[in-house]
Amino acid sequence: MYPRLLEIPIPVDFLGMESITIYSFGAMMATGFLVAAWLMRRELDRLYQTGKLQSVQIPAKKGRKQKQNVDTSPASLVGTITVIAVIGGIIGAKIFHILENWGDFMVDPGGMIFSQGGLTFYGGLIFAAVGIIWYVRKHGVHLPLFIDATLPTVMLAYGIGRIGCHLAGDGDWGIPSNPDIQPSFIPDWLWGETYPNNILGQTLPESGVYPTSIYEFVMATVLFGVLMSLRNHPFRAGWLASLTVLFFGVERLLIEQIRVNNVFEFIGLEVTQAEVISVIMILVGIAGLVFTTRRK
C-alpha cells in the first residue's frame, strides 16, 4: 500500500522536521471534503435560484472598516460549513474510536490520540452534523431542505475517504478472505488484499483480507448516484435526507458482516459499535420516510 504519497524535503531546520509528508489518508479525506463542498454549493445555488431556499445575510466589507449585511445564496455558507465539518468530523471520529477501543487508550493515551489512523466515521458524522445544524439554524436556513441538498454529498465524500483508508492500510479491512469460494470473474486484488507496508505495520494472512474499503467506495458511489437521480422527488422536504440516512445505515450494516471491528455485548448479542448505530440510522431513516412521503 501507499500510506505516504509524497515527502517534500525541508532545506532548513524547522521544528526538528527534515521533510513534510503528505499522507494518502489525509489527501483523500481532503479530496472528499472538497468534492462534497463543491457539490453542496451547486445544489444550494440550484435551490436558491428556483426559489425553494431563501437568501441568507452575511457580513460584507464596505470600505476598509465598516461592514454591512448583504442578502446572498445559502451557498455562501459552504466555506464555513466545510471548516466545521473538518474540525468536528476529526474530533468526533477520534472520540468514538477511543470509546470503541478504551482498553488500548488506557494503555497508551497519547499514542492513540495522535496516531494517524483510528477514526470512526459515525463519530465524525454526528459531531460534524451538530455543529453544522447549529450554524445553519443561526442563519435561518430552512433545515429540512438544506439537509436534503447536502447530506447526499456526504455519501460520496465518505466513499472517497475510504479510498484513503485502502491506500494507507489503516485497519479498516475485512476478515480473512476465502479463496476457495472466490468467483472466477473477481480479480485477486478485489477479493483478498494483504496490505503490504500498511501504516499499522501488521502482517496479514497470505490469502489476504476482504478489501472492505473498496467495497464501501463502490457502494457509496452507486448510492450517491441514486440519491442525485431523486433530487426532484415530489415529496416533502426531508424525504431525500431520510433516504440518505437509511442508505448509510444499510450500507454500513452490510459491510460490518465481513469487516474487522471490536465487539461488545448488547441485549445478549455480540455486536459492534457501528452495527448498533447502523440499526438506529435505519430506524430513523424509515421513520423519516414515513413522515415525509407525502405530496408537497
Side-chain angles (χ1 to χ4, degrees), residues 17-56:
M17 297 189 301
E18 297 180 354
S19 63
I20 297 175
T21 303
I22 298 177
Y23 292 91
S24 54
F25 178 74
M28 295 311 297
M29 269 191 68
T31 301
F33 278 116
L34 291 175
V35 170
W38 178 72
L39 291 169
M40 284 180 190
R41 186 179 293 274
R42 286 174 59 90
E43 185 62 10
L44 289 172
D45 264 337
R46 184 183 74 87
L47 294 177
Y48 173 66
Q49 292 168 5
T50 57
K52 294 180 180 179
L53 276 178
Q54 295 181 347
S55 61
V56 297

Side-chain angles (χ1 to χ4, degrees), residues 60-68:
K61 289 184 178 180
K62 183 179 180 181
R64 292 187 176 182
K65 296 181 179 180
Q66 294 181 346
K67 291 184 178 181
Q68 63 177 356

Side-chain angles (χ1 to χ4, degrees), residues 69-276:
N69 290 333
V70 296
D71 292 330
T72 184
S73 166
S76 61
L77 304 177
V78 169
T80 304
I81 288 171
T82 303
V83 173
I84 294 173
V86 172
I87 297 175
I90 292 176
I91 293 175
K94 182 63 71 172
I95 289 175
F96 269 59
H97 178 72
I98 290 173
L99 294 176
E100 191 177 23
N101 301 271
W102 187 254
D104 295 337
F105 173 73
M106 295 302 293
V107 173
D108 184 17
M112 181 169 284
I113 291 174
F114 298 104
S115 66
Q116 313 243 349
L119 295 174
T120 300
F121 167 72
Y122 278 148
L125 179 63
I126 292 171
F127 269 61
V130 171
I132 291 171
I133 289 173
W134 168 81
Y135 179 72
V136 168
R137 287 179 63 87
K138 176 183 175 183
H139 285 273
V141 180
H142 189 277
L143 190 58
L145 274 176
F146 173 83
I147 299 176
D148 275 347
T150 58
L151 193 56
T153 68
V154 179
M155 180 70 75
L156 182 60
Y158 173 70
I160 295 173
R162 282 308 187 204
I163 294 296
C165 294
H166 180 73
L167 293 175
D170 63 358
D172 287 329
W173 49 58
I175 60 178
S177 58
N178 186 352
D180 296 333
I181 61 174
Q182 179 180 351
S184 58
F185 60 88
I186 296 181
D188 292 342
W189 63 270
L190 193 57
W191 185 259
E193 176 61 68
T194 58
Y195 289 97
N197 303 318
N198 66 79
I199 201 167
L200 300 179
Q202 295 185 11
T203 301
L204 301 180
E206 291 185 5
S207 61
V209 296
Y210 292 114
T212 52
S213 296
I214 295 296
Y215 302 161
E216 288 203 87
F217 167 72
V218 174
M219 293 170 69
T221 303
V222 171
L223 292 175
F224 169 74
V226 172
L227 291 167
M228 286 294 96
S229 69
L230 297 173
R231 286 181 299 169
N232 295 317
H233 63 84
F235 305 117
R236 295 176 60 183
W239 183 88
L240 193 62
S242 299
L243 184 62
T244 306
V245 172
L246 175 62
F247 280 174
F248 264 121
V250 171
E251 182 274 332
R252 189 56 184 270
L253 186 62
L254 290 175
I255 210 69
E256 281 295 300
Q257 308 313 305
I258 59 170
R259 187 172 180 269
V260 173
N261 231 332
N262 294 331
V263 298
F264 64 96
E265 188 171 335
F266 180 71
I267 61 173
L269 301 173
E270 287 191 347
V271 296
T272 68
Q273 181 191 85
E275 284 177 326
V276 174

